Amino acid sequence: MMINRAKSFSSKWLRVTRISSLTVAVLAFGALLTSLAWQNAVSVVSDEDQDRFFDATSESLELIQERMAIYGQVLRGVKGLFIASDDVSREEFRSYTNELILEENYPGILGIAYALNIAPDQLDQHVTNVRASGFPDYTVAPSGDRDQYSAIVYIEPFSGNNLNAFGFDMYSEPVRREAMDRARVSGELALSGKVSLVQDVDRGPIAGVLLYLPLYRGEINESEADADELLGWVYAPFSMDILMEGIQLDQSPVTLGLYDGTDINNDSRLYATVNETLETDDLPFLRTEQLEFAQHTWTVRFSAGSSFIQPHENTEPEWVLFIGVLFTALMTLLTWALSTSRERAEVRAEVMNQELSETEFRWKSALSGAGHGVWDWNNVTNEVNFNTEWKSMLGFADDEIRNDFSEWERLVHPDDRPRAEAAIADFVSGKSKTYSVEHRMKTRDDQWRWILTRGAIVSWTEDGKPARTIGTHTDIDRLKTLELALSESDQRFRGSFESAAVGMALVGLAGEWLEVNQAVLDMLQYEEDELLKLTFQDITHPDDLELDLEHLEALTAGKIPSYQMEKRYFCKDGSVIWIVLSASMVTDGQGLPLHYVAQIENITERRKLEKRVAYQATHDELTALPNRRLLQERLNHTLALSRRHKRSFALMFIDVDHFKQVNDEYGHDVGDDLLKWIADKLGAVVRNSDTLARQGGDEFVLLLSEISAPEDAALVARKVFSAIREEFDSDLLQLKVSLSVGIAIYDPVSPDTAEDLLRKADTALYQVKRSGRNDFRLYQEDSE
């Protein structure tokens, strides 16, 4: 179009002045620059659409990751219930899960459950035990012989379709088994592949997944976790259609497909919006991401058609304006080159005015098309021409706004008018080279809308004063609202940060302390300038640093949205405190890490109290020996290991002869001193791997965790008698003490239970007492 106009103008010019071919080349070059500028504008618009599509889909990705991370924490809480208790009953499990309010707080979870790991030789006893607990029809399904079994024994809510899962052996199904094995071997959360859930039988073929977390015997008895000591799994089943509710708005033009693994096909599809299709070759917007969670991969694909494109309010007008200025400059240069005669100058001026008018028309049209309002201010007459977009931006029709500067003054917010008028005065007087002001303007419905006004002087009077100023109005109300909300949020955060009772800190990517509140300084006994010179690595206990850095690396990589851990800090005076650290990451607009936010709570006293309570729950208050409860745990543990490794161990019942007589004659204080004296003497002959416990009263139990032959137990018994051969000496009396000892030997090929061994040791002890006391005896089968 520009080249055609240039040819028309050139023909007219040649008829008058015989313009050289160079003039035509200059005009053609101007048209080429205009074309390039418009191509660049198109590219900018496309990039803006792609950025908006990326932002819209990133929010859904973050919601998926955040939701799964939260559900993983729910399972860790359930596992903690089992670790904190010797035996979690069905009622305790129900009470705990009821407090979670699953349906309201955790959409998509069909239940919280515990599946028991069952060896083949334990299956019949397991079914018998569950039936005896009130479920006479209970069975493990599916039936059949297998190398290993599992059974869902607890599931809440225990109603509706969840009843279908009671007794189900998930280990019999390959997809579930693969995830359960991953959890067992790693000790961590494991997500299954695509399955059909027994809870969804009424709704038809609904895709589901399961999240597993293993529970080991060692975690309950405070020893090291061993995959071979697997007790079972706490887990949660998810219906994918319910799980994905709220991830994306139903009315969004962006479609979403979630696939199991890395392949995108109908068989691997876990979830899809209604209009999601496998055919996406012709769609202008497409994004595919892979999410890693709980040792499993999901592929997420977003797509959108041309309906996603919206009007662009932020297209930059400077390029179009630049082209107009460039044309003006070229025409001025042409005028100078040809102004050798008055006639030719007049003709040239006519051509220049026509070109200038067309150029002005083009950039005004470009600005209007980009959604910007345009104003043209005659500084001499104070008349202002507001284009249609300027008026419609505020809700007015063309005939509702007069072409006068007073209209702008009438509509500007009273609180913003002094600042805007001062900026205009500085600009017109030459104090500032540009005019750019943000202010509010009244709309037709008496609302206030934020507007960005920018302007430039395009002509001056003969005495050098502005004659004409042209500018734009851009609607920035949405951005300004977000900016103000962000500012308010930042102020609230700052207030909470400074006044929080717990420690709050901003930490740099290298671990440096950026900002800390007073609670952190009080906790660590540092002055602010002292702590800001250090990193969190400098004050973290070496034994805790590796795990902390692993969590931090996963957080930075976007694998987890946050993490929480208990760790130790060194205070300024060298003392050590225990803290709970909760950390999350702050990113910029492109999702790149900026810094970390840390919440720090001092739990030193709580840890001491928990340790003291745990100790008191498992140890005898008088002798400080393990009590009956801890003895039972270690006996069960030793029994399981002995069965697995085919080795023997021994259990000794030790009773103080005539102890009641001591209490009756000398009082309970002397009796207590005697028991502590005996505990000290016996403890001296016990190996670190063995357990000496006080069963109650004057009864002690010695558990020898491993022996080669029964003679080993007899040898230890002789050491026990040797340990008390000297007299007990108190302030009131000297007393010769004797003991009676009954011994039971565990044979790894026998079916003996812990209760059987306790009974046998007690029987042998009774035989010693009946035979005159002060001796030991090994249990014999024919002695009962």
Side-chain angles (χ1 to χ4, degrees):
M1 183 184 293
M2 284 297 304
I3 294 177
N4 292 335
R5 290 195 182 98
K7 289 182 178 180
S8 175
F9 295 151
S10 297
S11 298
K12 182 178 180 179
W13 183 258
L14 286 171
R15 290 195 301 269
V16 181
T17 63
R18 299 178 181 177
I19 291 179
S20 68
S21 61
L22 178 60
T23 303
V24 177
V26 170
L27 292 175
F29 180 67
L32 176 62
L33 287 181
T34 301
S35 175
L36 291 176
W38 276 111
Q39 291 177 10
N40 180 73
V42 171
S43 176
V44 169
V45 167
S46 177
D47 289 344
E48 288 181 357
D49 286 331
Q50 291 292 342
D51 290 343
R52 190 163 53 83
F53 176 75
F54 185 86
D55 291 341
T57 56
S58 293
E59 183 177 357
S60 294
L61 285 173
E62 291 172 0
L63 285 174
I64 295 172
Q65 292 174 307
E66 179 180 331
R67 182 166 293 180
M68 295 308 297
I70 290 173
Y71 294 168
Q73 291 300 322
V74 171
L75 287 189
R76 294 188 187 279
V78 177
K79 178 176 179 178
L81 171 68
F82 281 88
I83 293 176
S85 306
D86 287 335
D87 183 23
V88 177
S89 67
R90 189 177 303 276
E91 291 71 27
E92 290 172 332
F93 188 86
R94 178 177 296 116
S95 297
Y96 180 88
T97 54
N98 284 345
E99 289 297 320
L100 297 176
I101 315 177
L102 294 175
E103 185 175 354
E104 179 178 338
N105 296 327
Y106 306 98
I109 294 185
L110 299 183
I112 296 292
Y114 173 59
L116 192 65
N117 183 40
I118 306 171
D121 60 351
Q122 299 172 336
L123 180 61
D124 291 339
Q125 185 62 48
H126 164 72
V127 173
T128 300
N129 293 341
V130 176
R131 289 179 177 178
S133 67
F135 300 92
D137 298 327
Y138 173 82
T139 186
V140 174
S143 59
D145 294 332
R146 295 187 284 278
D147 294 335
Q148 190 69 24
Y149 296 82
S150 74
I152 301 172
V153 291
Y154 294 167
I155 184 166
E156 293 297 333
F158 193 59
S159 60
N161 285 340
N162 273 348
L163 298 177
N164 297 332
F166 187 45
F168 177 59
D169 179 6
M170 295 183 290
Y171 206 72
S172 66
E173 194 276 316
V175 176
R176 291 173 171 86
R177 181 171 62 249
E178 188 274 338
M180 296 165 80
D181 284 340
R182 270 191 286 115
R184 174 181 58 82
V185 173
S186 66
E188 294 295 333
L189 290 164
L191 185 66
S192 79
K194 178 181 178 181
V195 298
S196 294
L197 301 174
V198 295
Q199 290 93 335
D200 275 335
V201 292
D202 294 342
R203 297 201 299 145
I206 303 297
V209 295
L210 302 105
L211 186 61
Y212 296 96
L213 186 64
L215 177 65
Y216 308 101
R217 190 181 306 279
E219 293 174 306
I220 293 180
N221 59 29
E222 300 180 346
S223 61
E224 185 175 354
D226 185 345
D228 291 334
E229 297 181 42
L230 180 72
L231 290 176
W233 300 263
V234 292
Y235 81 96
F238 302 88
S239 286
M240 293 306 300
D241 56 342
I242 305 176
L243 177 66
M244 296 298 291
E245 287 181 359
I247 295 298
Q248 194 170 17
L249 295 177
D250 294 337
Q251 303 303 319
S252 172
V254 179
T255 65
L256 182 153
L258 181 63
Y259 300 87
D260 186 31
T262 57
D263 295 332
I264 297 178
N265 53 57
N266 283 325
D267 291 338
S268 65
R269 178 180 284 168
L270 292 170
Y271 171 80
T273 52
V274 176
N275 50 351
E276 202 269 349
T277 175
L278 293 177
E279 302 299 328
T280 57
D281 295 340
D282 297 329
L283 296 177
F285 302 94
L286 185 65
R287 180 184 182 187
T288 302
E289 297 286 350
Q290 290 185 351
L291 300 181
E292 298 290 337
F293 176 75
Q295 309 176 65
H296 195 69
T297 302
W298 280 351
T299 298
V300 186
R301 187 177 67 175
F302 301 92
S303 60
S306 57
S307 61
F308 184 78
I309 301 174
Q310 295 180 358
H312 294 269
E313 300 178 350
N314 297 321
T315 304
E316 293 295 335
E318 284 76 9
W319 292 104
V320 179
L321 185 61
F322 171 74
I323 296 300
V325 173
L326 179 61
F327 265 91
T328 302
L330 289 173
M331 294 304 100
T332 302
L333 180 62
L334 184 61
T335 301
W336 175 81
L338 298 178
S339 58
T340 56
S341 69
R342 180 173 180 178
E343 180 182 359
R344 290 163 58 188
E346 289 176 354
V347 173
R348 182 186 61 196
E350 180 182 350
V351 173
M352 289 284 288
N353 286 334
Q354 186 171 356
E355 280 288 341
L356 182 60
S357 297
E358 292 191 3
T359 300
E360 182 176 323
F361 172 79
R362 283 195 298 274
W363 64 254
K364 281 187 176 181
S365 298
L367 290 173
S368 297
H372 297 281
V374 179
W375 50 269
D376 189 340
W377 179 22
N378 187 321
N379 299 82
V380 178
T381 64
N382 228 20
E383 291 181 345
V384 184
N385 180 268
F386 305 105
N387 75 344
T388 299
E389 284 74 18
W390 190 100
K391 300 171 185 177
S392 63
M393 192 178 296
L394 301 177
F396 292 100
D398 280 343
D399 58 355
E400 293 180 311
I401 298 292
R402 294 180 293 105
N403 291 330
D404 192 273
F405 185 78
S406 61
E407 291 287 77
W408 175 85
E409 293 177 310
R410 175 177 67 86
L411 297 174
V412 173
H413 195 289
D415 295 342
D416 300 337
R417 186 182 302 143
R419 175 168 50 85
E421 291 177 342
I424 293 174
D426 289 344
F427 173 62
V428 171
S429 65
K431 292 182 180 180
S432 60
K433 296 181 180 180
T434 59
Y435 172 64
S436 179
V437 178
E438 295 178 358
H439 55 74
R440 289 162 290 180
M441 297 194 72
K442 182 182 291 188
T443 64
R444 192 177 187 279
D445 56 359
D446 291 329
Q447 302 296 316
W448 295 105
R449 182 173 294 276
W450 279 98
I451 299 294
L452 170 62
T453 300
R454 288 179 287 191
I457 299 174
V458 296
S459 65
W460 286 262
T461 61
E462 293 181 357
D463 56 358
K465 294 181 180 180
R468 184 183 180 194
T469 304
I470 298 177
T472 62
H473 267 199
T474 304
D475 186 346
I476 60 169
D477 191 71
R478 183 174 62 88
L479 295 177
K480 194 67 177 180
T481 301
L482 291 175
E483 177 186 326
L484 294 174
L486 181 61
S487 175
E488 181 181 352
S489 175
D490 183 66
Q491 291 177 3
R492 288 198 301 268
F493 170 76
R494 286 292 166 189
S496 301
F497 183 90
E498 296 298 336
S499 61
V502 298
M504 297 287 291
L506 302 183
V507 182
L509 300 181
E512 69 275 19
W513 300 97
L514 301 177
E515 292 186 45
V516 294
N517 69 354
Q518 190 60 43
V520 172
L521 299 175
D522 295 341
M523 191 184 306
L524 300 174
Q525 305 168 15
Y526 280 98
E527 296 296 330
E528 184 175 13
D529 59 338
E530 295 175 330
L531 187 58
L532 295 186
K533 295 177 183 178
L534 303 175
T535 65
F536 81 85
Q537 295 95 323
D538 294 329
I539 65 170
T540 296
H541 195 285
D543 294 343
D544 303 332
L545 184 56
E546 182 177 358
L547 179 59
D548 199 358
L549 292 176
E550 288 179 3
H551 288 325
L552 202 62
E553 181 180 357
L555 179 64
T556 306
K559 297 179 180 178
I560 56 175
S562 62
Y563 72 90
Q564 185 178 88
M565 66 174 293
E566 294 185 2
K567 58 180 287 189
R568 287 161 288 182
Y569 276 151
F570 290 110
C571 297
K572 182 180 178 180
D573 63 0
S575 61
V576 177
I577 62 171
W578 276 96
I579 61 103
V580 170
L581 170 68
S582 300
S584 58
M585 188 173 66
V586 177
T587 59
D588 62 14
Q590 286 71 45
L592 298 176
L594 289 177
H595 57 76
Y596 309 104
V597 178
Q599 182 174 310
I600 305 166
E601 181 182 0
N602 189 341
I603 61 168
T604 304
E605 292 303 319
R606 190 184 80 190
R607 291 273 301 199
K608 290 179 180 178
L609 178 60
E610 290 174 350
K611 186 175 181 180
R612 184 164 63 251
V613 170
Y615 182 85
Q616 290 173 348
T618 56
H619 288 76
D620 176 52
E621 183 178 0
L622 178 65
T623 63
L625 294 176
N627 61 13
R628 183 193 303 266
R629 175 181 177 182
L630 184 54
L631 171 66
Q632 188 69 42
E633 291 179 0
R634 293 186 180 177
L635 176 57
N636 290 334
H637 180 67
T638 302
L639 183 63
L641 289 178
S642 298
R643 283 176 177 167
R644 182 178 300 123
H645 300 294
K646 308 300 181 186
R647 64 194 186 198
S648 299
F649 69 91
L651 190 67
M652 292 185 180
F653 264 30
I654 304 172
D655 190 76
V656 182
D657 294 335
H658 307 295
F659 180 73
K660 183 176 184 301
Q661 185 178 344
V662 175
N663 272 340
D664 293 343
E665 292 185 13
Y666 303 105
H668 289 279
D669 289 343
V670 174
D672 288 347
D673 290 340
L674 175 59
L675 291 176
K676 289 189 286 185
W677 179 82
I678 293 174
D680 291 340
K681 293 297 182 181
L682 297 182
V685 301
V686 175
R687 299 175 301 181
N688 291 334
S689 59
D690 300 332
T691 298
L692 175 64
R694 184 184 177 200
Q695 181 82 342
D698 61 339
E699 295 180 353
F700 296 85
V701 177
L702 178 55
L703 174 63
L704 304 179
S705 60
E706 183 177 1
I707 60 173
S708 300
E711 289 74 16
D712 294 342
L715 178 61
V716 174
R718 293 187 182 95
K719 289 182 179 180
V720 167
F721 281 95
S722 178
I724 61 165
R725 65 179 180 273
E726 62 184 66
E727 290 184 338
F728 167 66
D729 188 0
S730 73
D731 295 338
L732 298 177
L733 79 160
Q734 291 180 333
L735 183 66
K736 185 65 177 177
V737 179
S738 67
L739 303 174
S740 296
V741 180
I743 306 172
I745 305 297
Y746 172 70
D747 184 349
V749 299
S750 75
D752 282 347
T753 65
E755 289 73 17
D756 293 333
L757 291 171
L758 290 169
R759 178 184 54 79
K760 289 180 178 181
D762 188 51
T763 299
L765 174 65
Y766 175 73
Q767 293 172 349
V768 172
K769 286 181 174 291
R770 191 171 57 182
S771 300
R773 296 185 170 86
N774 194 27
D775 198 0
F776 70 89
R777 178 172 296 185
L778 273 68
Y779 173 82
Q780 301 293 334
E781 289 293 342
D782 57 358
S783 62
E784 292 193 77

